Amino acid sequence: MKMLFTDHLRDKLKERLSQPLLGWQAQQHMATEMHRNSRHRIPPNALHAGVLILLYPGAERQLAFPLIRRPQYDGAHSGQIAFPGGKVEPEDGTIVDTALRETKEEIGVSVEATQVVGQLSDLYIPVSRFVVSPVVAFTKTSPAYQPEPAEVAEVLDMSVQDFLNPDNRSVRQITARGVHLEAPAYLINKEVIWGATAMILAEFFAILKEINE
């Protein structure tokens, strides 16, 4: 099944995202034990963040999107691969505003609200106490990145097609902040994508498969 960037796909995805989402039913396929144990334990003081899945035409118009590698720092997500995005600030009117503002700040790409086609299910990340809301948008041109070095070590262009190949999914031994765990993960171009990023992608890809059946 090839995933090509088309206006028809954008319209079908926008319609599907306006309907009830798959949530944990899809996310759980890439969940670690930590996520399974914490999904019903969201603290009242949890923080909120918005991230962006920015879809664009990659090589041969295959559906593509950027991920980022976080810099090494003394924090929960040091060096990990993630979506551009960040925490809600007082000036943000909506979670969409947060995702678009953070994308501009982190990778230098401006996305308008009119390019947004919807949102995926919220996901709680226990290690950082954030509830993350994924926003989905389309752009008809390949983004020109200007990453902010303090926030982004590298921008990684990803093809949806690679993630849909079952050979690129496995269970990996992960060490995070001194903790060793087994985690379902995607291995794409030697990059290991796991945790919340993989769980968000699992729901996204499940919805893509639905609308292409």
Side-chain angles (χ1 to χ4, degrees):
M1 177 177 58
K2 280 201 170 185
M3 277 301 167
L4 299 180
F5 183 100
T6 65
D7 289 343
H8 182 58
L9 176 66
R10 179 199 61 206
D11 294 343
K12 286 178 70 176
L13 184 57
K14 184 173 184 177
E15 179 183 0
R16 177 60 186 86
L17 293 178
S18 69
Q19 300 167 11
L21 298 170
L22 300 177
W24 180 251
Q25 175 188 341
Q27 294 168 346
Q28 64 177 321
H29 295 296
M30 300 303 288
T32 65
E33 195 65 27
M34 175 181 61
H35 289 102
R36 293 179 185 279
N37 293 338
S38 64
R39 60 182 293 249
H40 295 304
R41 303 177 187 171
I42 302 175
N45 62 342
L47 304 170
H48 291 266
V51 301
L52 187 67
I53 302 176
L54 180 60
L55 301 166
Y56 69 91
E60 300 179 344
R61 294 195 63 78
Q62 299 235 5
L63 198 61
F65 62 96
L67 293 174
I68 63 172
R69 190 194 314 281
R70 294 289 182 196
Q72 297 292 332
Y73 69 104
D74 185 20
H77 303 294
S78 174
Q80 290 185 6
I81 295 175
F83 296 102
K87 68 178 181 179
V88 173
E89 299 292 353
E91 67 267 24
D92 297 332
T94 67
I95 203 70
V96 170
D97 294 335
T98 300
L100 301 189
R101 174 185 54 75
E102 286 282 344
T103 297
K104 173 63 174 176
E105 292 176 2
E106 290 192 339
I107 64 174
V109 176
S110 295
V111 181
E112 301 297 327
T114 54
Q115 296 170 260
V116 172
V117 295
Q119 294 177 223
L120 297 172
S121 302
D122 289 352
L123 178 64
Y124 177 59
I125 304 177
V127 69
S128 55
R129 294 189 302 110
F130 268 98
V131 175
V132 174
S133 300
V135 175
V136 183
F138 274 72
T139 179
K140 292 188 175 183
T141 57
S142 298
Y145 306 121
Q146 294 180 307
E148 167 53 52
E151 301 274 358
V152 178
E154 184 181 4
V155 181
L156 305 168
D157 286 304
M158 294 287 176
S159 170
V160 167
Q161 200 70 39
D162 289 338
F163 286 88
L164 298 180
N165 181 348
D167 292 340
N168 291 337
R169 201 175 100 177
S170 62
V171 176
R172 313 283 295 186
Q173 300 293 322
I174 304 288
T175 300
R177 303 189 78 185
V179 177
H180 304 285
L181 67 155
E182 287 190 346
Y186 299 103
L187 182 63
I188 309 293
N189 302 326
K190 299 183 179 180
E191 302 290 351
V192 179
I193 297 109
W194 67 285
T197 302
M199 293 172 69
I200 290 168
L201 286 171
E203 183 183 28
F204 178 59
F205 296 144
I207 286 174
L208 281 182
K209 289 177 182 178
E210 264 191 23
I211 65 177
N212 276 276
E213 287 178 347

